[in-house]
Amino acid sequence: MSITVFDLMDECRNAFVTERRQGMFTVGGDGSLYPDGLPGTAAVILRPAQGPEKRWLADDAGLLPAEAAGTYEGSLLVCQPPAAFLALAAEIAAWESAHPASDLQTERLGEYSYTRFPAS
């Protein structure tokens, strides 16, 4: 499983929330958020009145992915992590892709354990 921007925000306990919205929201088939749109690259956390939390990453134009299309009621958090944070998330994901967890070896000695990559 590859790390996401949201995983990293959770780990750092900082969602970079710049705006909180409450009410009814519609995401069009083109990814546009109605009624107010998004300010460019943003991470969106939707907490609907019913159902699980939804998380999407908007592109530079402020458009959400196609799977976000629909109408929702609840609270919406607009998060704008800095560019360096997004670059860090991408770098971690790239490293994780190059070093799959299946390559790791874990050894346990009583209550002590450690994990490492085997020697190549």
Side-chain angles (χ1 to χ4, degrees):
M1 183 172 112
S2 184
I3 191 169
T4 67
V5 171
F6 296 105
D7 296 330
L8 194 55
M9 288 190 315
D10 289 345
E11 191 66 32
C12 295
R13 296 184 181 151
N14 188 347
F16 303 98
V17 175
T18 57
E19 190 177 343
R20 287 171 166 46
R21 302 177 189 174
Q22 195 75 25
M24 191 75 107
F25 307 98
T26 301
V27 179
D30 64 347
S32 297
L33 178 67
Y34 300 99
D36 297 325
L38 290 171
T41 303
V44 175
I45 301 173
L46 175 71
R47 294 186 175 139
Q50 295 181 349
E53 180 175 276
K54 300 178 184 304
R55 297 173 167 205
W56 303 293
L57 192 60
D59 63 15
D60 293 338
L63 300 177
L64 295 168
E67 72 258 10
T71 300
Y72 308 95
E73 183 176 0
S75 60
L76 182 85
L77 304 177
V78 178
C79 311
Q80 291 188 286
F85 188 86
L86 296 173
L88 176 63
E91 187 177 330
I92 291 170
W95 185 92
E96 190 177 45
S97 295
H99 302 88
S102 60
D103 290 348
L104 295 174
Q105 286 182 338
T106 299
E107 293 186 24
R108 289 188 169 79
L109 303 167
E111 291 184 23
Y112 173 77
S113 69
Y114 68 95
T115 303
R116 66 182 176 93
F117 280 102
S120 299

